[in-house]
Amino acid sequence: MIEIKKLAKRFAVDNPKKLSEQERRDPRLKGRFFHSVQDVSFSCDNGQVLGLLGPNGAGKTTTLRILSTALKADSGSIFIDGEDVLQNPIVARKKIGFLSGTTGLYGRLSGRENIAYFGQLHGMSKSQIEQRIDELADLLDMHSFLDRRSETFSSGMKQKTAIARAVMHKPALVILDEPTTGLDIMATQTVLEFIQRLKADGTPVIFSTHHLDEVSELCDRVTVINQGTSCFDGSLDEFKQLSDGNLHHSFMQALAQGESYVASV
C-alpha cells in the first residue's frame, strides 16, 4: 500500500521577468518561488490501479518524480508498505519501479542489455536476470526486437523496453508517467494488458494519463490534481458520480471544485 499526505514542492525562479504571461498569472508563483506541488494527498492499496489526472502543468509529473525519489519534497509524507520514502529514499527505491516521461535508453545497447543492466543495479544474479527478461519479453511481446540496438527502436519498442526495465526487480509499487503517449493501438493495448497483469498480481500501480478511456478500463481509484493541489481523490465510481457518469464531465467538475477551493483559501 502507498499513502501520500500533504505533499509539497517549490522551485526557485531565477529571473521572474523571463516568465511568460501565463506563468506570471499562475497563483502558485509566489515571490521568487513557484510552488509546483502545494497540497497533494492520495492512497492506493495493493492490487489497485490509481489514475492520476490533471491539466498540463498541474503538478502530476513533479508528484510522480517525488514518489520515485528523483526529487526531494519540501514537506509531506510518503509511505510504501510502512516504509518512509522521504526518510529512507535508498531503501524505498528498491520497492519502486518508475517509468518517466522519457525512456532514456542507452542507444548503443540492445533492449536485452538495457534491461539486464538495471537488473544488475538491483543486485539480481545472471540467472535471475535471464529468467526475468524472458518472462517480460513474453508479457510485453518483445522477442522480435529484444536483441537489436535500442537506437533503431520505434516509439512502441522503446516504451516496452523502458517498462520492462522499470519492473525488472518486481517492485512493490509501479509508477508510470503517461505510459501510452505516442504509441500505436497495438502497442497501447499491450501496455494496458501488462498493467492489468500487475494489478492481478497484487502490485499497486499509479499512472498519469490524459486518456479517460484508459481510466475507465483500468482504474480502481482516481486522483485529480489542479494547480498543485489534489482536488479529488476517490474510487472510480465516486468520480463518475461527480456528473452524469461521463468521465469527461466528471473531470471538468473536479477541476471546477478545485478552483473554487483555491479561490476560497
Side-chain angles (χ1 to χ4, degrees), residues 9-38 57 227-228 262:
K9 177 66 178 178
R10 69 178 187 175
F11 298 94
V13 178
D14 294 331
N15 188 349
K17 293 182 179 179
K18 291 186 177 181
L19 296 176
S20 68
E21 188 63 30
Q22 180 179 359
E23 290 171 329
R24 292 176 186 173
R25 291 197 305 265
D26 194 311
R28 288 175 291 173
L29 180 63
K30 301 172 184 177
R32 298 187 66 86
F33 290 94
F34 183 79
H35 296 253
S36 178
V37 174
Q38 301 187 102
Q227 297 182 348
V262 171

Side-chain angles (χ1 to χ4, degrees), residues 57-222:
K60 301 187 301 299
T61 294
T62 299
T63 297
L64 295 183
R65 288 178 63 80
I66 293 172
L67 298 189
S68 74
T69 73
L71 287 176
K72 185 177 180 179
D74 295 326
S75 62
S77 64
I78 304 172
F79 286 88
I80 300 176
D81 292 339
E83 189 77 49
D84 189 329
V85 172
L86 301 184
Q87 295 299 319
N88 302 290
I90 295 178
V91 174
R93 283 174 197 151
K94 297 178 181 179
K95 295 178 174 288
I96 299 169
F98 177 57
L99 175 73
S100 67
T102 57
T103 56
L105 301 178
Y106 297 102
R108 295 177 64 85
L109 298 183
S110 69
R112 185 185 300 275
E113 290 167 337
N114 268 285
I115 300 167
Y117 174 60
F118 272 71
Q120 292 170 359
L121 291 178
H122 283 287
M124 298 174 67
S125 68
K126 183 177 180 180
S127 61
Q128 288 175 325
I129 289 172
E130 291 175 351
Q131 180 179 354
R132 182 62 170 159
I133 289 177
D134 285 342
E135 176 185 346
L136 292 170
D138 287 338
L139 293 174
L140 290 166
D141 190 22
M142 298 173 59
H143 287 290
S144 63
F145 60 87
L146 192 59
D147 292 300
R148 287 167 43 189
R149 280 190 178 187
S150 60
E151 63 189 3
T152 69
F153 286 179
S154 67
S155 296
M157 294 173 185
K158 289 179 180 178
Q159 194 74 322
K160 289 181 180 181
T161 304
I163 290 174
R165 184 182 62 183
V167 301
M168 181 65 180
H169 58 301
K170 295 185 178 180
L173 168 70
V174 175
I175 303 169
L176 306 172
D177 191 3
E178 299 187 11
T180 62
T181 297
L183 303 189
D184 62 27
I185 294 174
M186 295 301 294
T188 294
Q189 190 58 38
T190 298
V191 171
L192 297 183
E193 289 173 356
F194 184 71
I195 294 174
Q196 290 279 24
R197 177 64 67 90
L198 290 171
K199 176 179 176 177
D201 289 342
T203 303
V205 178
I206 297 173
F207 79 102
S208 65
T209 182
H210 291 292
H211 303 294
L212 293 176
D213 56 330
E214 296 176 1
V215 173
S216 179
E217 180 177 347
L218 294 173
C219 291
D220 303 284
R221 297 188 61 81
V222 175

